[in-house]
Amino acid sequence: MSVSTIEFRHFAASAIADPRLQGALEGATGKFRDARRAALAELPDADALRDHFKALRSATLARLAEHLETFERNATAAGAQVHWAADGHAACRIVTQIARQHGVTLAAKSKSMVSEEIHLNQALAAAGVQPVETDLGEWIIQLAGDPPYHIVAPAIHKTRQQVAELFSELTGETLPADDIPRLTATARRLLREQFLAAGMGISGSNIAVAETGSVVLVTNEGNGRMVTSLPPVHVAVVGIEKIAPTWADAAAWLALLARSATGQPLSIYTTAITGPARPGDPDGPAEVHIVLLDNGRSRLLGSVYEEVLQCIRCSACLNICPVYREAGGHAYGSPYSGPIGAVITPLLFGLEEYAGLPHASSLCGACRDVCPARIDLPRLLLELRAEEVQRRLLPATERMAERAVAWGLAHQRLYQLGAGLGRLAAKPFTHDGYTDLPARLNPAQERRLPGLAPRSFREMWAAGELDEP
């Protein structure tokens, strides 16, 4: 998929025009924002911890190759098999080959954004393996044929009525939308059958701890533990940036992750997996495979964009972003939406394909303020915009208009003349302090523009009409 500025505006306009969707977005993100604020307020020295975590992530990326080798060595010693994937195609090939080796026809999946990134479900289906999402939100959107709408809450755009329709169609029963316990029991019953029948469990990993070669899953549903312990083969697909050198580093990560994401001190389930089941273990897979995925990440190391690799996918930036909260997740055309999606999507999948996303921001800085790793997302967005200019990726009309504006701003007298003429031209359309331009001429589209002041600041200053401070 690709997303130009025009396409993003079109998708956003559709979302804005849907009052039900707007209510769902504001309700969910508002709860997450309030919960995050309260959770961090209860954490002693939260700002100091964020500073420490920022330094930790930066130092880890500076020696990423070394930490990855340590992880591979310790994971292998614990009995896991480690695979390296240069891109999404390689990762999908590795996973499908493991499935073929074991005659797998059904794979149960835990929530994994990186598997969405590489289109793993489509690759499994093409290889004759049925993938079943077992996170409730992910399962709902899989039934609906939708991509995720939010990094943490993928189905926030679905109402209970829509969920009831999906479940009713699947089961052949008529399930009432208001009977939440019955809907939940239906999902639990159907998904438990998948856990027991699956020949392979597939997960992502929130953290990969180099010190012991462990992968750590942070979930709020028990499906993550079922996926990683019931099927005989477990495959974890992990982005190479998810490395924590030590468990002490992982502890700082965990202290911020759930608080930033959902406002919980700790998610309900935090699972550490170190190799396959050992003799005498009551459960666990016979084989654990860990696929370390690059897919463009190493290309960012040492670049002006390296900082984006510090992201821990908590979604705090989505919940605070005024653009995401109106435009919604599908407008970004990527598993990664919101401010982090506007940066990471063009970097992973091509700026020329997603040229509209760096402009999907007001640059208000709220995303930087809430980020647990203090990633300067506004700076990264500006870097991408500058690269678009350098690579001539903007439409010719936009480039010409921006050059004209830049030239005018560089010449004081011309700027003053233009401002005066603009004031005169807008006068017939100005009423009650607002300028109501024709729709085709209004850069703010449906918003009313404030009217221009009758006289400029410079004119008032020159006339001595302004009081000195």
Side-chain angles (χ1 to χ4, degrees), residues 299-316:
R299 184 174 65 239
L300 305 179
L301 292 169
S303 75
V304 294
Y305 302 116
E306 178 180 293
E307 189 180 10
V308 77
L309 296 176
Q310 297 173 8
C311 174
I312 60 174
R313 306 291 192 269
C314 69
S315 78

Side-chain angles (χ1 to χ4, degrees), residues 143-423:
L143 293 176
D146 283 356
Y149 211 82
H150 187 279
I151 291 176
V152 170
I156 62 171
H157 61 301
K158 293 295 184 186
T159 65
R160 65 178 182 274
Q161 288 79 12
Q162 291 172 313
V163 173
E165 289 174 8
L166 290 169
F167 286 10
S168 297
E169 183 179 349
L170 181 66
T171 62
E173 307 173 38
T174 301
L175 299 172
D178 292 329
D179 193 346
I180 303 300
R182 185 176 175 187
L183 291 175
T184 305
T186 299
R188 183 179 293 118
R189 173 174 57 82
L190 294 175
L191 288 175
R192 281 182 175 175
E193 295 172 1
Q194 308 303 318
F195 294 131
L196 294 171
M200 174 187 285
I202 300 174
S203 74
S205 177
N206 294 91
I207 310 171
V209 185
E211 184 177 25
T212 56
S214 307
V215 293
V216 180
L217 303 181
V218 177
T219 63
N220 275 322
E221 298 176 25
N223 69 303
R225 292 191 173 182
M226 303 280 267
V227 162
T228 58
S229 61
L230 282 177
V233 178
H234 170 214
V235 179
V237 185
V238 187
I240 58 172
E241 80 281 15
K242 292 296 185 72
I243 289 287
T246 69
W247 274 104
D249 300 330
W253 194 318
L254 291 169
L256 289 169
L257 177 56
R259 286 179 169 89
S260 300
T262 56
Q264 299 166 276
L266 198 65
S267 291
I268 294 173
Y269 299 98
T270 300
T271 306
I273 300 164
T274 310
R278 294 162 180 76
D281 285 351
D283 53 30
E287 290 185 16
V288 170
H289 296 262
I290 302 169
V291 181
L292 295 173
L293 175 70
D294 188 333
N295 206 32
R297 288 160 172 80
S298 62
R299 184 174 65 239
L300 305 179
L301 292 169
S303 75
V304 294
Y305 302 116
E306 178 180 293
E307 189 180 10
V308 77
L309 296 176
Q310 297 173 8
C311 174
I312 60 174
R313 306 291 192 269
C314 69
S315 78
C317 62
L318 279 70
N319 300 328
I320 201 70
C321 177
V323 175
Y324 173 86
R325 284 157 47 196
E326 297 292 328
H330 289 169
Y332 294 81
S334 164
Y336 305 118
S337 52
I340 185 61
V343 174
I344 197 69
T345 298
L347 292 174
L348 293 182
F349 307 132
L351 183 56
E352 62 280 358
E353 295 295 321
Y354 290 88
L357 294 192
H359 303 273
S361 171
S362 65
L363 300 177
C364 66
C367 53
R368 177 184 55 217
D369 294 341
V370 300
C371 177
R374 300 194 188 280
I375 299 171
D376 194 347
L377 288 167
R379 178 190 69 79
L380 295 172
L381 288 165
L382 287 173
E383 294 282 2
L384 285 169
R385 293 183 188 184
E387 185 175 339
E388 285 184 341
V389 173
Q390 293 166 2
R391 294 172 55 186
R392 300 174 66 85
L393 296 178
L394 296 176
T397 52
E398 287 188 30
R399 294 202 305 270
M400 292 172 62
E402 289 179 3
R403 285 197 193 101
V405 170
W407 187 75
L409 291 173
H411 296 79
Q412 180 178 333
R413 291 184 180 178
L414 185 62
Y415 172 76
Q416 290 173 340
L417 176 62
L421 292 174
R423 197 174 289 111

